[in-house]
């Protein structure tokens, strides 16, 4: 016989009376506090909306039973509840805060999709109403910032003049004559939602009765999903929440930067420029330090039997950025080899003057076989980072052994 869907004709119905036609144990439901026993209930009529068409199901109570889930099953609506219900009359009550939020988001989606279609020729191919963010997938050219803002402004303009939102019924042919763009394959009488002067769309969802109740549409970002563009947006109370959080973030950033939210862009530019300048001067200072230190190290280093000067250095508290320039400076000297480690970060750099004739790469491989890490380079210059920084000394000892230094 099927369930009569009360929400089709009155999306604002929160409390209703119905008859329990069927109630049987179902598979346990996973909740935050673990698995819970569940029953499936069919009513003769219901105001509970089942998950469908991108809109999530309603929550609420049927008699003393709490509703976990509501499913669309052909002509029936299946309510999954937390206790057994007796056959016969029962009172139902839906969670109105959740439902009204869904109505704001869903009607906002119809309106926003219509604006993308009408103004930018971008059809919506799918819609998802999430717990926090909603998305529509648009097909066609990438909607750039001006299109995202243009569609948002146009949709909000329709909200501000508070146009009626009504339900229409008709066959696919009749609806097409009224201007429904979407091809509908289902036969029989169809339900469509009309936003006066803006949109007519086949839809089984619940909607607000006039655009003013959407409150506000706020478009967020757009990202590429396969061949389409996924546009994030929020409506109504969610838009208020998002804008509030945005401003709080800006205030926090402003406090940190000692400026007003309006001055943040300028302040960030200034900080980025300062950071770049500091980085440049640090580089220059490290280069000078590397030159001086390489000279000192080589002066106090005695060549081995083959005339090779081995320089070993363990850095601990110094800036690890010193490793590369120091190794480079050492290897500039005839027959010099530099074996450098940074104990704080587990980084190592081995470098040689080509005339030293060793193979740094082969040596590094042997070291990393024993002391795990990632790295590589050329015959003359290698760098690596160990998985465990405290093994840096062990890696240096191993390198000495491989080179026959001990
Ligand atoms: Zn819809």
């Amino acid at each position: 016989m099927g369930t009569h869907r009360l929400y089709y004709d009155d999306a604002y119905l929160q409390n209703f009376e119905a008859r329990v036609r069927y109630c049987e144990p179902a598979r346990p439901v996973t909740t935050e506090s673990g698995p819970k026993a569940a029953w499936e209930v069919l009513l003769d009529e219901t105001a509970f909306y089942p998950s469908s068409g991108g809109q999530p199901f309603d929550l609420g109570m049927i008699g003393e039973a709490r509703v976990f889930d509501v499913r669309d099953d052909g002509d029936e609506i299946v309510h999954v509840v937390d206790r057994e219900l007796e056959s016969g009359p029962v009172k139902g009550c839906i969670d109105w805060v959740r439902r009204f939020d869904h109505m704001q988001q869903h009607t906002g989606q119809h309106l926003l999709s219509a604006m993308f279609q009408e103004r930018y020729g971008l059809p919506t191919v799918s819609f998802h109403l999430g717990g926090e963010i909603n998305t529509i997938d648009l097909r066609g050219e990438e909607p750039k910032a001006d299109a995202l803002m243009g569609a948002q402004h146009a949709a909000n303009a329709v909200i501000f003049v508070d146009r009626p939102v009504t339900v229409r019924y008709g066959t696919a042919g009749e609806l097409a004559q009224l201007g429904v763009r979407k091809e509908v394959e289902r036969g029989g009488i169809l339900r469509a939602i009309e936003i006066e002067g803006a949109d007519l769309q086949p839809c089984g969802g619940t909607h607000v009765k006039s655009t003013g109740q959407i409150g506000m549409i706020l478009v967020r970002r757009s990202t590429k999903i396969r061949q389409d563009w996924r546009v994030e947006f929020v409506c109504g109370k969610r838009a208020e929440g998002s804008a509030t959080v945005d401003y709080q973030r800006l205030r926090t950033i402003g406090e940190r930067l000692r400026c007003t939210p309006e001055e943040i862009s300028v302040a960030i530019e200034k900080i980025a420029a300062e950071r770049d300048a500091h980085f440049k001067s640090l580089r220059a200072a490290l280069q000078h330090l590397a030159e001086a230190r390489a000279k000192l190290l080589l002066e106090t280093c005695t060549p081995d039997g083959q005339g090779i000067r081995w320089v070993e250095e363990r850095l601990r508290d110094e800036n690890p950025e010193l490793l590369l320039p120091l190794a480079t400076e050492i290897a500039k000297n005839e027959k010099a080899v530099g074996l450098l480690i940074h104990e704080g970060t587990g980084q190592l750099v081995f470098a040689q003057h080509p005339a030293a004739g060793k193979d740094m790469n082969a040596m590094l491989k042997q070291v990393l076989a024993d002391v795990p890490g990632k790295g590589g380079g050329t015959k003359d210059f290698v760098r690596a980072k160990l998985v465990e920084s405290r093994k840096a000394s062990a890696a240096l000892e191993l390198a000495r052994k491989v080179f026959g230094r001990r």
Side-chain angles (χ1 to χ4, degrees):
M1 72 185 258
T3 314
H4 179 220
R5 297 168 193 238
L6 295 164
Y7 59 82
Y8 266 174
D9 295 310
D10 186 1
Y12 287 79
L13 187 64
Q14 300 171 38
N15 298 290
F16 64 100
E17 286 176 22
R19 296 186 70 83
V20 175
R21 287 160 46 213
Y22 170 97
C23 181
E24 288 292 327
R27 272 195 300 177
V29 169
T30 319
T31 68
E32 279 171 8
S33 50
K36 286 266 168 71
W39 283 261
E40 286 187 351
V41 173
L42 297 182
L43 305 175
D44 60 342
E45 52 185 12
T46 188
F48 278 89
Y49 185 80
S51 292
S52 59
Q55 181 181 328
F57 58 91
D58 288 331
L59 292 175
M61 303 290 289
I62 299 173
E64 296 294 307
R66 193 158 71 88
V67 174
F68 288 130
D69 189 13
V70 188
R71 284 199 319 266
D72 205 344
D73 187 8
D75 287 342
E76 299 287 7
I77 289 177
V78 181
H79 310 77
V80 181
V81 300
D82 73 343
R83 68 196 61 186
E84 191 170 9
L85 290 171
E86 279 178 30
S87 291
V90 74
K91 284 184 176 156
C93 171
I94 64 169
D95 175 342
W96 179 244
V97 172
R98 176 180 162 95
R99 159 66 85 73
F100 186 69
D101 169 57
H102 292 169
M103 286 160 58
Q104 282 187 318
Q105 311 309 316
H106 197 159
T107 314
Q109 178 264 316
H110 279 222
L111 182 54
L112 185 63
S113 286
M115 297 303 116
F116 274 116
Q117 170 73 57
E118 180 187 295
R119 304 198 157 217
Y120 302 98
L122 294 168
T124 294
V125 291
S126 72
F127 156 59
H128 176 72
L129 200 169
E132 285 173 18
I133 284 277
N134 313 306
T135 59
I136 47 175
D137 289 355
L138 301 175
R139 188 155 294 172
E141 296 243 320
E142 179 181 8
K144 298 269 173 55
D146 59 337
L148 297 176
M149 286 308 103
Q152 175 188 292
H153 290 322
N156 282 321
V158 178
I159 289 174
F160 300 153
V161 295
D162 199 20
R163 299 245 183 90
V165 178
T166 48
V167 179
R168 280 184 175 255
Y169 291 97
T171 62
E174 285 163 353
L175 292 178
Q177 277 196 338
L178 289 169
V180 167
R181 294 191 196 95
K182 207 159 82 181
E183 291 277 326
V184 189
E185 285 173 11
R186 279 214 341 251
I189 297 295
L190 299 171
R191 180 177 187 265
I193 302 300
E194 180 171 31
I195 299 174
E196 194 184 276
D199 188 47
L200 180 64
Q201 203 57 229
C203 179
T206 55
H207 293 271
V208 295
K209 59 187 162 202
S210 68
T211 56
Q213 290 199 352
I214 300 168
M216 164 74 72
I217 297 180
L218 199 56
V219 172
R220 313 295 279 178
R221 61 185 174 172
S222 157
T223 47
K224 187 148 175 61
I225 298 291
R226 290 176 293 275
Q227 57 170 329
D228 300 318
W229 301 98
R230 180 157 295 173
V231 176
E232 297 179 0
F233 68 99
V234 282
C235 306
K237 200 164 173 231
R238 294 189 189 194
E240 184 200 4
S242 288
T244 306
V245 169
D246 285 352
Y247 194 71
Q248 277 167 350
R249 282 197 190 112
L250 287 176
R251 261 205 345 228
T252 307
I253 296 168
E255 276 163 18
R256 190 79 180 80
L257 301 181
R258 296 174 192 283
C259 67
T260 66
E262 291 73 23
E263 292 161 350
I264 285 174
S265 306
V266 174
I268 294 273
E269 283 304 318
K270 203 175 140 218
I271 286 170
E274 280 171 8
R275 185 204 55 200
D276 292 350
H278 286 154
F279 191 66
K280 232 170 136 183
S281 73
L282 174 66
R283 270 282 163 84
L286 286 172
Q287 179 58 30
H288 284 132
L289 180 61
E291 286 165 18
R293 193 135 168 195
K295 194 159 171 262
L296 198 67
L297 287 165
L298 283 157
E299 272 171 13
T300 56
C301 172
T302 322
D304 68 4
Q306 297 165 307
I308 296 174
R309 286 182 288 171
W310 295 88
V311 176
E312 289 164 15
E313 189 72 333
R314 297 155 193 263
L315 307 181
R316 171 169 277 277
D317 300 322
E318 289 97 332
N319 191 322
E321 300 276 327
L322 179 60
L323 277 180
L324 284 183
L326 182 55
T328 307
E329 287 308 312
I330 291 168
K332 277 181 186 170
N333 296 276
E334 187 74 17
K335 285 202 168 184
V337 180
L339 304 178
L340 313 179
I341 59 165
H342 191 271
E343 292 181 319
T345 59
Q347 293 180 67
L348 48 90
V349 179
F350 301 153
Q352 71 169 356
H353 185 275
K358 307 287 176 188
D359 187 340
M360 299 291 138
N361 222 350
M363 188 270 298
L364 179 68
K365 278 198 185 111
Q366 287 193 51
V367 170
L368 293 183
D370 264 29
V371 186
K374 262 190 182 164
T378 64
K379 190 170 145 294
D380 295 327
F381 198 105
V382 293
R383 54 194 295 196
K385 187 163 184 349
L386 303 173
V387 174
E388 292 176 80
S389 58
R390 63 187 178 87
K391 297 252 172 91
S393 275
L396 183 61
E397 289 307 315
L398 199 58
R400 292 171 62 112
K401 224 189 310 180
V402 172
F403 280 122
R405 293 274 298 145
R406 193 177 269 171

